[in-house]
Amino acid sequence: MPGKILQILFAAAIIALNTSCVAEQHTACHVADNNKGQKGSSGGRQRGSSADYSAADFRNIAAMTARMLDSHHYSAVRMSPELSARIFDRYFDELDPLHMFFTLQDIQRFSSYRNTIGSKLQNGEYDFAFEVYDLYRQRYAQYRRFTQEMFDSEIDFTVDEEIAVDLSKQPRPENEAAMKELWRKHVKNELLSLRLSARLEQEERANNPDASAGESSSTPVRDPKARILQRQRDVGNSIDKRERIDILGILLDCMAQSYGAHSNYQAPKSSDDMDIHMSLSLTGIGATLTSEDGYIKIVELVPGGPAELSGKIKVGDRIISVTQEDGEVTDLIDMPVSQAVQYIRGEKGTRVTLEILSGNASTPIKVTIVRDRINLQAGAAKGEIREVNGVRVGIITLPSFYMDFEAAMRGDQNARKASTDVLRILEEFRTKDVQSILIDLRSNGGGSLPDAITLTGLFLNGGPVVQIRTKDGMEVENDPSGEIAYDGPLVLLTSKMSASATEIFTGALADAKRAVVVGDSRTFGKGTVLRVESLDRYRSWFRSGSQLPAGALTFEIAMFFRPAGSSVQQLGIIPDIILPSLTEEMRAGEIYLDNHLPWDQIPGVRLNIFDRNLDRKIAQLREQSAARIAENAAYQAFIRQIALYRTIRDRRTITLNEEARYEIYRREREIAREAERLLTDESGESQAGDVVLLEALNIAADLGKMPIDRPASQPQQKRRK
């Protein structure tokens, strides 16, 4: 049976499930599209309009959120002038991430709030949220007028000038004059990007008429200026129509995130959003989206969904426009993600064309996807067997540690969960004489904590799995069965996207010398447990007696530690063998998140060592892998592709001279094409997405030829029946 702390966490997950899409440590919510800060819900009720919320309601919601964070957050951080300053700065950055609409003079204008906004929110004082937002609304309207005036005059694209690629890393403009100069360059850059995109597309059609014959050449080419103005109208309308409860919610979310990287406040949402989050199947492209720096960014691909199956879309890509089957084009830049997904979703079988920017690339590509029904089966564990260098290697692809909590609470013995699906695959592997197993965890962002512990036990013969520390104490969770389902050679393939429950699983097996870990230089580094609280449960606290939805609060309540004592928080898990990959080059992970909790260490607990000579074997496997990669033409081509991505990613500025920029585009395109040619085998099939997996399979095959050296004192293996 789980320990007391784990039971508390499990119960918290069930409570949250009844009111929201539960935090990733507790269950996996499979969605077609998602929104940053919308991973929770206050229930199935339709929210009231802002007109329904009184000033007393706003005071109560603000005060309750602030006081709950101050008293219950794992970090034990208390409200202070320093924390207030963090909330203050974050609110400006949340509204204006590209530092385009607030000047340093504006920040100074609101400086009286810098060290006091936290205590004001605790007292239910929230005027700061609306005062700053009103200025933001005015500035965006001014920006739209500026753009129209700019388009009414001639724009010179022969001038040698540059703009920073990442404006969020630049200081805010000093004053209004500096702000308008930034607007000029930003609008010019947008216009130039659209001009060059059309130019490249026309060149492609001229050079390859046969390939473009099947495309919709009749699709009208929209004027770049019209596209930009339409986009600004859409964003301006969204800014103007945002409800006051949602504006307050932005500030409360900034306060929550100032306590911890994964803490957030979710304003009440409509029943439509609730259906999206809680449905077991949806129709769409199969991607989780967020809004970042004005772009719609892909943060996760649903395994087996249309986006992943296209082979042309990856995590981190940005969608800048959407074209429907009838040729209607919608620009998504600066559009709220909740609005953007309405253009991406659609009926099963319909086509949608996405214009994609990858990394810091300035040249977009177009990807056409057929929308489809997405269900949980696509995200379930899958197994296959491959013959590698004379060794039968079983591959288990595990996208998440999923678990049907509602069925489990009903006592359903057949409740769907990852551990039972993996056990079934292991039993099938046993009947087919598999000699080594590789578990692909590269896209596994976590899931059910209880099932992660159960699944870890499939590969252990008893012993500790994870240590959990709350504000009230420590507890060690052990292999619940003490019986092993598979005792052969094991390799785990991870990436910077492998997080949370995946890190518990990987850390436990690594500490016990049970598995060889290969992949990126580290995993994500998310070592905290989240709790989702519906604030409606505390409605009696409202002195106003309001019955309107109050939203939900997510916050960290505990931290995970590996059996050997190291936290996975912030630093993640370092693999035994690092394999070059695209995800390795991404600035992804806990370490890049603001206000993340720090790495920590506690005393380790006694371990059941599985293979006492595993470290020696790892050294040999590492040498063999390095030699193989050096001689592998496909992998070397892939490494050149990675180098191009790194060059684009590290670009600090981009020229606004049209001809100079066009030459950069052409050069980058030729390098990419050459790498793609080298990555294509004789049959024309691309190997780009497989080289990392193929090398991990080679390592698993090498390990399969090495005998396991179990300590004499190790408990006798107990096979699961």
Side-chain angles (χ1 to χ4, degrees), residues 139-150:
R139 282 287 162 76
Y140 199 85
Q142 186 181 359
Y143 173 61
R144 290 178 59 190
R145 293 192 296 270
F146 177 91
T147 303
Q148 182 65 68
E149 293 169 2
M150 186 174 168

Side-chain angles (χ1 to χ4, degrees), residues 7 28 48 61 92 140 214 277 283 352 645-646:
Q7 289 179 339
I61 292 172
F92 283 101
Y140 199 85
H277 293 306
T283 300
V352 61
Y645 174 84
R646 188 184 302 122

Side-chain angles (χ1 to χ4, degrees), residues 3-15:
K4 181 179 179 181
I5 291 177
L6 187 59
Q7 289 179 339
I8 293 172
L9 299 181
F10 186 90
I14 300 304
I15 292 171

